[in-house]
Amino acid sequence: MPHVVCQPCFNCKYTDCVVVCPVECFYEGDKMLYIHPDECIDCEACVPECPVEAIFHEDNVPDEWKEYVEINAEKSADAPVITEKKEPLADN
């Protein structure tokens, strides 16, 4: 089961999580990051790195954000991979 980036990342896009990911499964959209479900190895390294607590195990996504499971799968397929820390949207 993969991890999922949820609503708290929207318009925030901190990238602390991408630098600790051992498999480079993060993808960058215009307004947030996404995790590719087929690439995530469920190591949980990204979870404590997220300053807005936007990353959840797929089984623990809050009910109000369940649609982000599908959103991550869809958006990660079309977005470029991100592996380096960037300036977050929240600070701009």
Side-chain angles (χ1 to χ4, degrees):
M1 292 288 175
H3 280 75
V4 178
V5 181
C6 293
Q7 193 279 332
C9 185
F10 188 79
N11 266 344
C12 188
K13 207 162 79 168
Y14 283 98
T15 54
D16 304 61
C17 52
V18 304
V19 296
V20 298
C21 181
V23 294
E24 300 178 356
C25 68
F26 280 89
Y27 291 80
E28 183 179 18
D30 291 337
K31 299 289 184 184
M32 66 179 286
L33 302 177
Y34 306 100
I35 295 175
H36 194 294
D38 296 333
E39 296 173 3
C40 178
I41 60 170
D42 197 25
C43 71
E44 297 188 17
C46 59
V47 176
E49 297 301 317
C50 181
V52 295
E53 300 179 0
I55 303 171
F56 296 86
H57 188 275
E58 183 178 27
D59 290 342
N60 296 326
V61 172
D63 288 340
E64 66 267 27
W65 298 331
K66 290 288 186 189
E67 70 271 13
Y68 282 90
V69 174
E70 185 66 28
I71 290 170
N72 275 249
E74 290 175 5
K75 298 286 188 174
S76 64
D78 297 326
V81 70
I82 180 171
T83 59
E84 296 181 2
K85 191 170 180 169
K86 293 184 175 182
E87 184 78 19
L89 290 176
D91 291 348
N92 292 327

